[in-house]
């Protein structure tokens, strides 16, 4: 087994990926032959900065992720905000993929099946909580609320009476 050096680990952040844009996402009247953009993966520092800047605004996060990852053409956040939503969604998907932030179908299925994920889904449904509210719960709080829900079932009420 060989261990990687710090330089080898850091090299991944400097890679650049040429990404082809589907024609249906571009202006059909344009004569420009350029149908590709150059993207780089987001670094941990990028993700932290984006998280701080965007706070709770998901669309701002998406725009910042695309803006930070675009190598060619370079765009400011105002220009990214003017892009068609479908194009931003496509670029965001590509940024997540090259940055290692996307889940494979198997990973997604495993995450959905995870007991804690199911528990949080039940709590969100029962109490009408948002995903961000559920994300703030500790494991202990999740267990307490689930216990409260199970104690509130008609079967349990009959046993108490």
């Amino acid at each position: 087994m060989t261990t990687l050096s710090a330089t080898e680990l850091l090299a991944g952040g400097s890679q650049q990926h040429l990404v082809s844009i589907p024609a249906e996402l571009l202006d059909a009247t344009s004569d420009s032959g350029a149908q590709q953009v150059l993207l780089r993966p987001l670094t941990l520092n990028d993700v932290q900065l984006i998280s701080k800047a965007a706070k709770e605004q998901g669309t701002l996060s998406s725009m910042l992720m695309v803006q930070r990852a675009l190598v060619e053409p370079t765009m400011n956040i105002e220009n990214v905000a003017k892009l068609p939503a479908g194009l931003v969604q496509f670029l965001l998907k590509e940024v997540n993929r090259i940055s290692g932030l996307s889940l494979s179908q198997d990973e997604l299925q495993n995450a959905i099946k995870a007991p804690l994920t199911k528990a949080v889904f039940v709590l969100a449904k029962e109490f009408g909580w948002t995903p961000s509210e559920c994300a703030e719960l500790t494991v202990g709080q999740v267990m307490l609320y689930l216990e409260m829900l199970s104690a509130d079932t008609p079967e349990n009420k009959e046993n108490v009476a």
Side-chain angles (χ1 to χ4, degrees), residues 71-82:
V71 175
E72 188 62 39
T74 57
M75 297 180 82
N76 60 31
I77 195 68
E78 291 83 18
N79 287 336
V80 173
K82 293 176 184 175

Side-chain angles (χ1 to χ4, degrees), residues 16 73 120 136:
Q16 296 183 350
V120 170
E136 294 175 8

Side-chain angles (χ1 to χ4, degrees), residues 150-160:
S150 68
D152 202 24
T153 61
E155 301 84 30
N156 287 341
K157 286 181 181 176
E158 289 173 8
N159 292 338
V160 173

Side-chain angles (χ1 to χ4, degrees), residues 46 49 51 62 76 82 114 141 161:
D46 290 326
L49 288 171
S51 178
S62 300
N76 60 31
K82 293 176 184 175
Q141 289 171 317

